[in-house]
Amino acid sequence: MWSWVAHRVTGVLIFFFLLVHVLDTALVRVSPEAYNQIIGTYRHWIMGLGEAGLVAAVVLHAFNGVRIILVDFWAKGPRYQRVMLYVALGLFVVTMAGFLPRHLMNVFGGGH
């Protein structure tokens, strides 16, 4: 059940990010000054943590989505759904363990 909830929540979060991303990118045509000001706010450490959350949501959504496809379309999928959940979670942890240290060093000034 929790993987079902996580998949829906990450999907909604990714949707809202894409909506905001399209709107802030479109702002460059309306007012380049306002666009530059908004892009400047993205350098704040809170936004850096938000970026880490976004990457986590995309990675979890992607690995869990592949698992769901396999459960739905592979004849043996339902039998191995728990194993595939653990594999998806393991891949998520490994991916985030590779991403987070470098990203957080950049966010908090250690990567310059």
Side-chain angles (χ1 to χ4, degrees), residues 4 7-8 64-81 84:
W4 182 89
H7 197 71
R8 271 64 184 175
N64 194 45
V66 170
R67 183 190 70 86
I68 290 169
I69 290 169
L70 289 172
V71 168
D72 287 347
F73 294 108
W74 180 36
K76 296 181 182 181
R79 184 181 319 155
Y80 295 108
Q81 70 176 335
M84 290 188 293

Side-chain angles (χ1 to χ4, degrees), residues 18-88:
L18 290 173
L19 180 66
V20 169
H21 178 64
V22 167
L23 292 174
D24 72 6
T25 302
L27 187 61
V28 75
R29 290 187 163 270
V30 177
S31 171
E33 297 80 21
Y35 172 81
N36 288 335
Q37 187 177 11
I38 287 177
I39 294 301
T41 65
Y42 292 162
R43 293 190 180 106
H44 196 274
W45 66 269
I46 291 175
M47 294 303 287
L49 292 179
E51 288 174 340
L54 173 65
V55 170
V58 169
V59 170
L60 183 62
H61 193 80
F63 288 140
N64 194 45
V66 170
R67 183 190 70 86
I68 290 169
I69 290 169
L70 289 172
V71 168
D72 287 347
F73 294 108
W74 180 36
K76 296 181 182 181
R79 184 181 319 155
Y80 295 108
Q81 70 176 335
R82 183 171 297 229
V83 172
M84 290 188 293
L85 174 63
Y86 294 138
V87 169

